[in-house]
Amino acid sequence: MRNKILYLVISVLLASSCSREKRVPVIIHPLQIDLNGDIEGLRQQLYNRSASLAYEDSYEGVDRGVKLFYLNDDNDGMHYYFQIFTVMDRIQGINASISSSQMSPARLYRKVEKDILPDFQESTTELKDAMVIAERKMSEDVRGKAYYYRFEIKTKELQEKLK
């Protein structure tokens, strides 16, 4: 009888640990964001950089259980813009763009592809059932053309919530 109870306890513990999604650290320099992690770890990292994470309280996904946080950061002559999406207080998505008003588009792309993209690609290899995009982009408005590099990760759970 005692062995059956012990077996039952071990089975329940194993099942509960398997049901949780593994945290996957995603690196987009200068940040490391733990996908499936909580937002507090990211806040601490930003506090150490004297940056802050803002909550978007008018985001239309809130009624579906998706929260949106964002931040701007400048580092090495480049401007970083991050959007962090959470579902049930776990990070489930990242939209990021890197631009520079100080660099030519060719230099920006070269720097991102040499210094940032390899770490991003290596850190996202463990992601299963997630959409991962890293690409060069250009947009145009009344101020002219803007060149940037775009990164996007959305877990399957986030994609379903946003439908």
Side-chain angles (χ1 to χ4, degrees):
M1 179 71 175
R2 189 174 188 176
N3 285 340
K4 288 182 181 181
I5 292 173
L6 185 59
Y7 176 76
L8 180 63
V9 169
I10 290 173
S11 298
V12 169
L13 289 174
L14 184 60
S16 68
S17 68
C18 291
S19 67
R20 273 191 240 145
E21 300 224 11
K22 179 181 172 188
R23 287 183 183 191
V24 178
V26 174
I27 301 169
I28 304 174
H29 288 292
L31 296 178
Q32 174 179 308
I33 302 167
D34 291 335
L35 213 60
N36 295 317
D38 62 20
I39 208 78
E40 291 310 313
L42 179 58
R43 281 203 170 128
Q44 183 61 42
Q45 186 182 160
L46 292 171
Y47 176 78
N48 294 340
R49 295 179 51 75
S50 298
S52 61
L53 191 62
Y55 174 63
E56 175 59 60
D57 60 359
S58 62
Y59 177 61
E60 67 271 4
V62 171
D63 61 337
R64 289 177 258 151
V66 178
K67 293 180 182 176
L68 171 64
F69 298 84
Y70 64 92
L71 71 111
N72 289 296
D73 193 21
D74 291 300
N75 191 15
D76 291 336
M78 295 189 294
H79 178 77
Y80 296 81
Y81 176 71
F82 288 88
Q83 292 180 324
I84 311 296
F85 299 89
T86 65
V87 175
M88 294 173 42
D89 296 322
R90 291 180 308 135
I91 297 172
Q92 295 289 303
I94 303 166
N95 280 343
S97 64
I98 302 172
S99 61
S100 177
S101 59
Q102 301 171 5
M103 296 180 196
S104 69
R107 184 170 172 229
L108 171 69
Y109 293 150
R110 196 169 42 252
K111 184 165 178 61
V112 169
E113 289 169 355
K114 179 182 175 226
D115 298 338
I116 297 170
L117 190 58
D119 288 336
F120 173 77
Q121 290 173 328
E122 184 177 326
S123 67
T124 58
T125 57
E126 290 185 43
L127 293 176
K128 306 292 184 239
D129 295 328
M131 176 189 68
V132 178
I133 297 172
E135 63 185 353
R136 296 176 176 194
K137 295 294 284 184
M138 187 272 293
S139 63
E140 193 167 2
D141 62 15
V142 294
R143 294 172 286 173
K145 294 181 181 180
Y147 296 90
Y148 59 99
Y149 220 96
R150 178 176 87 104
F151 297 88
E152 184 175 356
I153 298 173
K154 288 184 181 171
T155 64
K156 188 175 186 177
E157 183 177 356
L158 177 63
Q159 292 174 53
E160 290 172 1
K161 290 275 187 183
L162 294 177
K163 284 184 181 178

